[in-house]
Amino acid sequence: MSNLSASNTFILFLALFVLFILSKKVEDAYNITMIYKVVELSVVTDEDIERALNQWTEKGYLFESIHFVTNQASRRPAMAFIFFIKKDENTGIAETA
């Protein structure tokens, strides 16, 4: 993560903070506990994204969003963060990955 610029680090922090706030609203609205899984990809190819999506959806997680980190020298993403969400259907209590 040392290759991230200060502005990209701030954007990532802001995205995680917003995600935290939204998860609290979901918990309050539905009286269930949601858990999130964040997957960091340092190599961003279609195969790697597909592999991560298949791996975590197979484990019962739902795809929430994907965020790309780029640098100013190139439009190609340097990193990607994939967000997944999951709840325990039986008890509403969060499970750990």
Side-chain angles (χ1 to χ4, degrees):
M1 297 225 352
S2 61
N3 293 338
L4 291 177
S5 69
S7 63
N8 285 339
T9 303
F10 175 75
I11 290 170
L12 176 61
F13 170 79
L14 186 59
L16 291 172
F17 178 74
V18 168
L19 197 58
F20 173 76
I21 296 301
L22 290 176
S23 71
K24 290 299 175 190
K25 289 183 179 183
V26 168
E27 289 174 14
D28 293 342
Y30 297 105
N31 196 25
I32 57 175
T33 302
M34 304 299 289
I35 59 168
Y36 285 85
K37 175 71 180 168
V38 180
V39 177
E40 176 185 330
L41 298 177
S42 57
V43 177
V44 184
T45 64
D46 58 337
E47 293 91 2
D48 290 315
I49 294 171
E50 184 177 315
R51 186 178 306 111
L53 289 170
N54 289 333
Q55 176 185 1
W56 290 102
T57 55
E58 185 177 281
K59 294 179 180 181
Y61 285 84
L62 298 174
F63 171 74
E64 180 75 15
S65 63
I66 186 168
H67 301 271
F68 297 100
V69 178
T70 60
N71 57 33
Q72 294 177 348
S74 172
R75 293 179 63 173
R76 180 163 180 79
M79 296 179 74
F81 294 90
I82 305 175
F83 294 84
F84 296 92
I85 190 169
K86 182 178 182 180
K87 69 175 180 141
D88 184 357
E89 295 293 331
N90 298 324
T91 63
I93 299 173
E95 300 174 353
T96 56

